[in-house]
């Protein structure tokens, strides 16, 4: 059921919700949270579809905030609020209110959203595009316990990761982080099956994919080894290669669906590693409303501390050159346990090792715009919550 309200108020929208629920015979409110989706007109359809699909797992009141840009100076001084109330099959398993803000009211979206929040229920804000630089201090972000952004939607994803690290507050998260959850789980399980020290790591994927950078930062932060970032044709993440004293561990995915896991002394095995839809990523983030300390620690490690980017041709040329055996030293202090339980350091007690200074210098040859591990500042861990 849909109800259109033109030039309306928050009070009339609440009355419209009650009327719509009674019309379909469900006067009771059975939602577990309020999801505020901030988007623009161009991306509103996709964002609303993802939110509706996620609501089948997490019944919620979805408030879609669309700020309409007025063309003339006169229109920009005239405030207006239009709303579309959806319940029943048109709103997933919850209820949806699409809010279109015109004129000066678009600068005060929090005043429109606040009266529509479910009482005594958590609030999650998701910016599908154009996320603020500091989500926690944004007027809408200040209303929520959880703030979801998507670095992949930014024009410069790597710069977006730097901004997220600078402004991080407990409760912030990124859909780019949710995209690598299956990879982290698979790598943690693989390291639990070997008894070798990790010497170095290489992560390959698309050049402007923030999930590749986040996975590389997570591995470097947890394993305390030098991680090289390599470029491939994609799609998304394509390969993670861990050099160990017992042989390489490789997780390779070329088609975005199935991957091959290779462990030393074991036959190769095929594993499902499908690229997930936005609705699945959003549903995963809605499962937990507490701060993600593992994400915070990986984010604060810093994208600039990774090894330099290599193309496929450069990697092939480097592989053809003979390289001497490199000494390694064990890490005396283990990395802290992951909050999500999927950390390689927790999965394998002997996996937390780092290359020596000579190994770091050799691995960083050709890095022109990123520092060597010897020049890197100490790792800044997440503050304990």
């Amino acid at each position: 059921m849909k109800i259109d309200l033109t030039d309306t108020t928050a009070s009339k929208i609440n009355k419209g919700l009650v009327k719509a629920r009674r019309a379909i015979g469900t006067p009771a409110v059975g939602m577990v949270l309020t999801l505020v989706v901030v988007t623009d007109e161009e991306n509103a359809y996709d964002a609303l579809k993802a939110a509706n699909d996620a609501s089948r797992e997490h019944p919620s009141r979805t408030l879609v905030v669309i700020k309409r840009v007025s063309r003339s100076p006169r229109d920009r001084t005239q405030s207006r609020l239009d709303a579309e109330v959806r319940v029943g099959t048109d709103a997933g398993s919850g209820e949806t209110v699409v809010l279109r803000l015109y004129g000066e009211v678009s600068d005060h979206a929090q005043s429109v959203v606040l009266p529509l929040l479910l009482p005594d229920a958590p609030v999650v804000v998701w910016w599908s595009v154009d996320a603020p630089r500091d989500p926690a201090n944004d007027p809408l972000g200040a209303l929520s316990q959880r703030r979801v952004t998507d670095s992949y939607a930014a024009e410069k994803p790597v710069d977006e990761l730097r901004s997220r690290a600078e402004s991080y507050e407990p409760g912030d998260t990124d859909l780019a982080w949710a995209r690598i959850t299956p990879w982290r789980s698979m790598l943690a399980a693989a390291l639990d099956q070997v008894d070798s020290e990790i010497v170095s790591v290489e992560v390959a994927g698309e050049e402007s994919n923030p999930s590749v950078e986040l996975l590389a930062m997570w591995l470097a932060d947890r394993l305390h080894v030098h991680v090289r970032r390599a470029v491939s044709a994609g799609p998304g993440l394509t390969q993670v290669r861990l050099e160990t004293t017992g042989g390489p561990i490789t997780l390779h995915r070329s088609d975005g669906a199935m991957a091959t896991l290779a462990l030393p002394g074991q036959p190769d095995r095929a594993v499902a590693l499908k690229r997930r839809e936005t609705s699945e990523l959003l549903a995963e983030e809605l499962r937990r409303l507490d701060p993600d300390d593992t994400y915070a620690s990986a984010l604060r490690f810093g994208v600039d501390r990774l090894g330099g980017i290599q193309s496929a041709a450069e990697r092939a040329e480097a592989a053809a050159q003979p390289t001497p055996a490199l000494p390694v030293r064990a890490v005396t202090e283990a990395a802290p346990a992951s909050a999500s339980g999927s950390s390689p350091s927790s999965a394998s007690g002997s996996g937390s090792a780092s290359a020596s200074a000579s190994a770091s210098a050799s691995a960083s040859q050709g890095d022109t715009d990123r520092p060597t591990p010897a020049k890197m500042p100490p790792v800044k861990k997440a503050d304990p919550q």
Side-chain angles (χ1 to χ4, degrees):
M1 180 178 180
K2 297 181 181 180
I3 299 177
D4 290 325
L5 300 172
T6 303
D7 197 6
T8 186
T9 63
S11 176
K12 293 179 180 179
I13 294 172
N14 270 318
K15 292 179 181 178
L17 285 168
V18 174
K19 179 181 177 180
R21 287 199 301 267
R22 288 176 177 173
I24 64 174
T26 56
V29 178
M31 276 68 72
V32 299
L33 58 87
T34 301
L35 175 62
V36 181
V37 181
V38 185
T39 184
D40 55 18
E41 201 67 67
E42 179 183 357
N43 297 277
Y45 175 82
D46 293 334
L48 184 55
K49 184 178 184 301
N52 285 345
D53 291 343
S55 72
R56 304 187 188 281
E57 182 177 339
H58 308 277
S60 59
R61 172 177 289 180
T62 303
L63 306 176
V64 182
V65 178
I66 303 174
K67 299 180 180 180
R68 298 296 301 268
V69 178
S70 301
R71 296 183 178 180
S72 66
R74 179 181 178 183
D75 291 339
R76 286 194 289 269
T77 61
Q78 296 178 352
S79 298
R80 193 177 92 227
L81 170 63
D82 293 346
E84 182 180 326
V85 177
R86 303 181 182 183
V87 296
T89 56
D90 294 317
S93 61
E95 54 191 25
T96 300
V97 180
V98 181
L99 303 167
R100 288 182 170 86
L101 285 61
Y102 298 81
E104 294 181 351
V105 72
S106 62
D107 297 328
H108 305 280
Q110 73 280 5
S111 300
V112 178
V113 168
L114 185 59
L116 301 176
L117 301 178
L118 289 172
D120 302 323
V123 179
V124 178
V125 178
W126 170 38
W127 289 270
S128 66
V129 291
D130 299 329
R133 184 178 181 85
D134 189 353
N137 290 323
D138 181 81
L140 283 174
L143 301 176
S144 65
Q145 289 77 40
R146 190 79 161 165
R147 296 164 295 276
V148 184
T149 59
D150 191 355
S151 299
Y152 190 78
E155 183 178 355
K156 298 180 179 180
V158 176
D159 291 342
E160 189 77 4
L161 290 179
R162 295 189 181 100
S163 299
R164 295 284 160 262
E166 294 173 358
S167 63
Y168 176 82
E169 292 291 340
D172 292 353
T173 188
D174 195 329
L175 292 186
W177 174 253
R179 289 184 179 94
I180 63 173
T181 298
W183 285 82
R184 295 191 296 126
S185 300
M186 197 68 64
L187 291 171
L191 286 175
D192 201 28
Q193 303 177 47
V194 299
D195 188 17
S196 304
E197 294 181 344
I198 309 298
V199 178
S200 63
V201 179
E202 181 182 84
V203 180
E206 293 174 330
E207 184 174 2
S208 298
N209 193 312
S211 295
V212 184
E213 305 284 353
L214 279 170
L215 183 62
M217 290 190 289
W218 175 69
L219 288 167
D221 179 52
R222 309 309 286 184
L223 296 177
H224 299 283
V225 298
H226 181 57
V227 178
R228 180 180 294 277
R229 167 74 165 88
V231 175
S232 67
L237 269 163
T238 55
Q239 178 174 285
V240 176
R241 181 182 177 89
L242 297 89
E243 297 291 346
T244 75
T245 54
I249 299 173
T250 304
L251 181 59
H252 177 74
R253 183 186 69 179
S254 59
D255 59 356
M258 296 296 297
T260 302
L261 177 64
L263 298 173
Q266 300 184 25
D268 294 351
R269 64 195 72 173
V271 294
L273 213 58
K274 182 181 178 181
R275 302 187 76 190
R276 297 181 293 170
E277 300 291 335
T278 304
S279 58
E280 298 176 80
L281 304 174
L282 184 60
E284 176 184 324
E285 292 298 342
L286 296 179
R287 291 187 195 119
R288 56 176 302 168
L289 300 178
D290 56 317
D292 192 340
D293 296 333
T294 307
Y295 165 69
S297 182
L299 188 65
R300 287 170 170 165
F301 180 86
V303 66
D304 295 319
R305 299 182 62 190
L306 299 176
I309 296 178
Q310 277 190 325
S311 65
E314 291 172 333
R315 294 202 313 275
E317 182 180 354
Q321 301 294 328
T323 55
L326 301 175
V328 298
R329 59 179 178 83
V331 175
T332 57
E333 181 180 358
S338 167
S340 60
S342 61
S343 165
S345 59
S346 62
S348 175
S350 61
S352 296
S354 62
S356 63
S358 60
S360 300
S362 175
S364 61
Q365 289 180 357
D367 296 353
T368 58
D369 51 326
R370 290 185 176 177
T372 63
K375 299 178 182 179
M376 296 176 181
V379 176
K380 182 179 179 182
K381 295 292 182 181
D383 298 331
Q385 303 298 326

